[in-house]
Amino acid sequence: MARFSPGRSSWHGNGCGDLGRKCLLLLAAWLIFLAGLIVHFGSDSGAPSIKGHERDGFFLVAVIFNRVFAADLFNITSFECRQWIDYMGSAGVEHIYWYDTAHDESESQEESLRPYVESGALTYHRFYSLFPKLEGSDFHYEQDNSYAHFLANYNRSGGWAIEMDVDEYPFSPTDTNPGFLARFLRRTGTSEVSQILLQCMLFMGNPMGDPGNWVIERYQRRKRESEGTIPGFHSRQKPIFRPALTEGVTTFDPHKFVMRIGATIVAEEKEMRMNHYWGPRLTDFGPDTPEAVAMLVEDSGIQPIASYLKRTKIGDDLRYGNGRPRLGPLPF
């Protein structure tokens, strides 16, 4: 092994010495570059209790922060969480990064989500194992830090990432076949576009039918118009974005990311939108009022997807399937 011994080694001298010094400088520059990459992309030091992420290179991933707690009158449970996962898989999402903001063990979704983690389809993080529980911590604190952690650790995990809550579903009125969201991105996400905002279509009214049905089956009435096309908090849009091109998280506004380069566009609602099953909160979960009914129209366009998922039992295929984990069939 060569040793750098001044005055004796073959590296010392006029021409050879200059070459040696150049090599040392190049080596030092390379080490500094590698260190910069490690700092830039971060490392997962939170040591979550279960973790299923093993590889990058996905076309489309999803990131979500979520808390399941009894005081929430919307009554989101593990049942609704699994519905959302299976639906997103059918839409074309290949991997999900799940930040569980449970405040105690009774709220934890770790066991419910374990089959997805073990299949390799989902990376699970217990939020308060990553971040301290501060006095007055609220959902803004959880939301901002969940997304910031995702960007710091997984910004190279997928070419595209969709950020939605468990009561938000991407939906295309013109394409309800499996893989519809991935097809939309391959068609719309040109090299000039770095973020696509989906308009929010608010579903509301008292649930209809069997309460054991999926959320997307219970609420099949919506407002006539979307919440707006101008990006911002009040339009309730949600983004599909290129995580490698993000500048960072906008505090208290999860409805778009700051992008370093590329255009941010708003999708046409007739091509792709977000169905937001949030409306019952507007009437405080009480009976429909004449005013509420007057602004609603029937919309069961998402039902074929729910029926397909139930018929093919995608959830069972995911939990017990073999080969590279997929959240759903992607026949394209």
Side-chain angles (χ1 to χ4, degrees):
M1 181 175 65
R3 296 176 60 188
F4 297 99
S5 179
R8 291 194 304 113
S9 76
S10 60
W11 294 95
H12 186 71
N14 291 331
C16 292
D18 291 340
L19 178 62
R21 282 190 291 273
K22 290 179 181 179
C23 291
L24 283 174
L25 289 173
L26 287 174
L27 177 61
W30 177 246
L31 291 175
I32 292 172
F33 174 74
L34 289 178
L37 287 180
I38 294 173
V39 171
H40 177 70
F41 293 118
S43 61
D44 185 9
S45 59
S49 50
I50 53 177
K51 186 171 181 288
H53 178 72
E54 294 180 353
R55 74 186 111 215
D56 295 337
F58 299 111
F59 174 69
L60 174 61
V61 301
V63 55
I64 180 174
F65 89 106
N66 186 63
R67 180 187 174 196
V68 173
F69 60 108
D72 182 11
L73 295 178
F74 197 65
N75 196 31
I76 293 292
T77 69
S78 300
F79 179 52
E80 283 73 27
C81 292
R82 291 192 296 270
Q83 294 169 24
W84 187 88
I85 293 171
D86 292 343
Y87 182 96
M88 297 300 280
S90 181
V93 170
E94 297 171 89
H95 195 85
I96 294 174
Y97 297 88
W98 191 287
Y99 291 85
D100 185 352
T101 57
H103 288 195
D104 55 52
E105 286 301 320
S106 67
E107 297 177 355
S108 172
Q109 297 303 300
E110 182 172 343
E111 287 305 313
S112 175
L113 299 180
R114 185 178 294 277
Y116 296 98
V117 175
E118 291 178 346
S119 75
L122 184 146
T123 296
Y124 174 92
H125 287 291
R126 184 73 176 268
F127 179 84
Y128 285 109
S129 294
L130 300 173
F131 298 94
K133 186 74 167 66
L134 302 177
E135 186 70 26
S137 296
D138 62 5
F139 75 94
H140 288 301
Y141 172 77
E142 297 166 346
Q143 186 174 59
D144 291 353
N145 284 289
S146 293
Y147 298 156
H149 185 275
F150 169 78
L151 292 177
N153 292 277
Y154 307 117
N155 67 343
R156 298 283 176 171
S157 62
W160 290 91
I162 184 169
E163 178 256 290
M164 285 190 173
D165 298 334
V166 77
D167 60 352
E168 299 169 340
Y169 288 72
F171 174 70
S172 170
T174 59
D175 184 1
T176 57
N177 293 318
F180 68 86
L181 184 59
R183 281 193 296 276
F184 165 77
L185 280 175
R186 294 184 189 280
R187 182 174 65 252
T188 308
T190 63
S191 59
E192 294 80 17
V193 175
S194 59
Q195 182 169 226
I196 304 173
L197 304 179
L198 302 187
Q199 296 185 58
C200 170
M201 197 65 78
L202 199 61
F203 281 68
M204 56 185 300
N206 289 328
M208 303 297 293
D210 183 355
N213 285 348
W214 283 27
V215 169
I216 57 179
E217 296 177 297
R218 296 179 213 161
Y219 298 91
Q220 296 196 352
R221 289 184 292 171
R222 62 167 173 83
K223 285 187 174 182
R224 298 176 185 274
E225 305 293 336
S226 77
E227 293 295 280
T229 59
I230 300 176
F233 183 84
H234 294 291
S235 62
R236 296 189 177 93
Q237 296 169 359
K238 281 299 182 74
I240 310 174
F241 60 100
R242 298 184 189 270
L245 301 181
T246 54
E247 187 71 30
V249 176
T250 302
T251 301
F252 291 176
D253 186 0
H255 296 258
K256 64 181 294 188
F257 285 90
V258 179
M259 309 302 294
R260 293 198 306 273
I261 59 174
T264 292
I265 64 174
V266 179
E268 293 288 340
E269 63 182 76
K270 295 181 179 179
E271 186 174 9
M272 187 67 64
R273 73 189 194 205
M274 176 185 72
N275 284 7
H276 194 181
Y277 299 90
W278 186 84
R281 301 182 192 275
L282 296 181
T283 58
D284 199 23
F285 300 93
D288 287 343
T289 63
E291 294 76 15
V293 172
M295 64 180 180
L296 302 181
V297 295
E298 298 289 332
D299 188 341
S300 59
I302 205 169
Q303 182 60 49
I305 299 179
S307 299
Y308 169 79
L309 291 173
K310 289 182 173 182
R311 184 174 66 252
T312 56
K313 298 181 179 179
I314 282 181
D316 291 339
D317 294 341
L318 166 66
R319 284 186 283 273
Y320 305 111
N322 296 317
R324 180 180 176 179
R326 289 282 189 179
L327 285 174
L330 301 175
F332 56 86

